[in-house]
Amino acid sequence: MWLLLLLLKVASLAPALGQDWGLTQSQTLTAGGAKAWRYTLSPRGEEARALWEALSLQYRDHLRAGYRVDLGGWRLYFLGGKLRLERHCQAVNPACFTFGALPVDKARQDRFLMELGALLDRALGEAARTGGTVTLSRLFRVELRRNQALPYPAAPSGWKP
């Protein structure tokens, strides 16, 4: 019963954040019991998908070149050939993001990234409490154990370094 209530609560909060991003929470149930939670963030709608495709390509290029990518409260970077995810901004604002050189109005990109940052923070917070996998489509995937210490080891998702 609690599981159903939790899923309804997550679903009811998503529209309040905006229309660009979706957060899907799932868990596989088998005869052996429940498996770890999976949280997947992906853009919703044609415009959001096109914006994320262009932005994620630039983010991948930044990472390959040895730069960090700031995603609001989180920072993604390579260290010793391994992708890492760590805490970044405590008070998230538009300056906490790596902006793309895109033909998109800055205010639009701000809204897009702020929504992404809020959902990413929520997904990582849940996964850190329960254990599970968080995937940001086209960028990274991180598998967390319950109460795992930072920085989190991550893996590219949808690309090769």
Side-chain angles (χ1 to χ4, degrees):
M1 182 58 132
W2 283 102
L3 177 62
L4 178 60
L5 291 174
L6 176 65
L7 289 175
L8 290 174
K9 183 168 179 75
V10 170
S12 68
L13 292 175
L17 291 172
Q19 301 301 316
D20 289 325
W21 287 95
L23 173 58
T24 304
Q25 179 180 358
S26 61
Q27 185 179 38
T28 303
L29 300 174
T30 65
K35 301 294 182 192
W37 284 99
R38 289 183 306 273
Y39 304 87
T40 304
L41 287 91
S42 54
R44 293 189 294 187
E46 189 175 322
E47 179 195 359
R49 279 191 296 274
L51 181 54
W52 180 239
E53 183 174 339
L55 195 55
S56 65
L57 287 172
Q58 290 184 18
Y59 284 172
R60 293 173 193 180
D61 288 343
H62 279 26
L63 291 166
R64 284 183 186 116
Y67 298 106
R68 67 181 191 267
V69 172
D70 294 335
L71 300 166
W74 298 92
R75 173 172 283 164
L76 187 65
Y77 60 95
F78 276 105
L79 180 64
K82 297 186 187 266
L83 197 58
R84 302 271 184 227
L85 185 68
E86 69 181 13
R87 290 298 293 165
H88 177 46
C89 281
Q90 294 302 318
V92 177
N93 62 70
C96 297
F97 293 89
T98 300
F99 284 92
L102 303 173
V104 176
D105 180 60
K106 182 178 179 331
R108 172 69 179 110
Q109 200 172 149
D110 285 350
R111 286 189 308 275
F112 184 80
L113 290 172
M114 289 293 288
E115 184 180 341
L116 166 62
L119 286 176
L120 181 59
D121 200 48
R122 178 184 296 161
L124 287 166
E126 286 293 320
R129 281 190 291 281
T130 63
T133 302
V134 175
T135 302
L136 175 54
S137 68
R138 303 181 54 84
L139 196 57
F140 73 86
R141 186 177 67 117
V142 60
E143 293 183 34
L144 300 178
R145 294 180 316 275
R146 192 179 223 175
N147 299 318
Q148 183 174 340
L150 290 167
Y152 300 143
S157 178
W159 64 285
K160 293 184 181 186

